[in-house]
Amino acid sequence: MFSSFTSVPVWAHGDEQHGTTAAAQKPVAQAVGYEPAAKKADAAGGEIELADEVGSSLETLRMLHPATVHFPIALLLLAAAVEALLILRPNSGLEQAVRIILYFAAAGTVIAALFGWIHTGMWMGGEALMRQHRWVGTGLAVLSIGLALLAARPSDHARRTLRTGLSIAAIAVVLQGYWGAELSHGPGHLSQQH
């Protein structure tokens, strides 16, 4: 069922060509060291793919990271924006909205980080940009959980800490999005003409 779906290159947003260097043209799966399913020769001399259920499922899971990042990005930025509005209008009753947004953002960020680890594999190596993206994403998942817990506390100190954390999270999310695009579309993707 998934064999034709999982045999395409792993790009964040399709198979369009971004950039001109060989590294920019290489699918993420190859860039991080993932090799497609092995093949063996059959009795007639042709090649047959060794397609087992676990390999096919893992290959499908590896492709889900790009699809899982959009909601946490939007929700963390929305939580920061609503909190900024709350600073301008302190009695607007938006505390509950921030809390609910952060609950969903925390869940989404944890899921995105988990699929990020599945996407690249459970290894600590790789190029510097990949390591940076991996660890900032993991840190964002932990920070998001902390922010959701802080949003549930009614004290003024918790609110000030929440605002500081949301500012850090908003900056980190923008950087993460840029780094993820650098990994999937190639270096200098914003300056290239498409």
Side-chain angles (χ1 to χ4, degrees):
M1 177 172 142
F2 292 110
S3 62
S4 64
F5 174 69
T6 58
S7 64
V8 297
V10 181
W11 287 98
H13 297 284
D15 61 357
E16 64 269 353
Q17 299 296 314
H18 298 278
T20 58
T21 65
Q25 302 299 326
K26 189 167 43 169
V28 173
Q30 292 172 354
V32 298
Y34 171 72
E35 293 296 325
K39 297 182 181 208
K40 69 176 184 178
D42 65 7
E47 288 186 345
I48 56 173
E49 191 171 320
L50 299 175
D52 61 328
E53 288 297 317
V54 174
S56 178
S57 297
L58 184 58
E59 202 169 329
T60 300
L61 288 175
R62 286 182 175 173
M63 295 178 66
L64 290 177
H65 174 64
T68 61
V69 299
H70 297 93
F71 282 116
I73 289 170
L75 290 171
L76 282 172
L77 293 176
L78 178 63
V82 173
E83 189 64 35
L85 185 59
L86 190 58
I87 292 170
L88 298 174
R89 300 181 141 187
N91 297 321
S92 60
L94 293 173
E95 294 89 356
Q96 184 175 1
V98 172
R99 185 171 52 248
I100 291 168
I101 293 167
L102 281 174
Y103 290 159
F104 285 105
T109 307
V110 168
I111 290 168
L114 175 66
F115 279 112
W117 278 92
I118 291 170
H119 184 73
T120 60
M122 297 294 192
W123 54 283
M124 303 301 160
E127 62 184 66
L129 182 60
M130 177 63 74
R131 288 193 312 269
Q132 185 175 316
H133 184 70
R134 177 185 298 127
W135 290 111
V136 172
T138 303
L140 262 171
V142 173
L143 177 61
S144 296
I145 293 169
L147 293 174
L149 294 173
L150 274 173
R153 303 185 77 180
S155 73
D156 288 339
H157 176 69
R159 201 88 217 164
R160 285 191 301 273
T161 306
L162 173 69
R163 288 174 178 166
T164 302
L166 275 172
S167 300
I168 293 168
I171 293 167
V173 161
V174 171
L175 290 173
Q176 275 296 88
Y178 178 78
W179 294 330
E182 286 282 298
L183 288 167
S184 63
H185 301 302
H189 71 282
L190 289 180
S191 61
Q192 297 171 0
Q193 298 295 320
H194 297 290

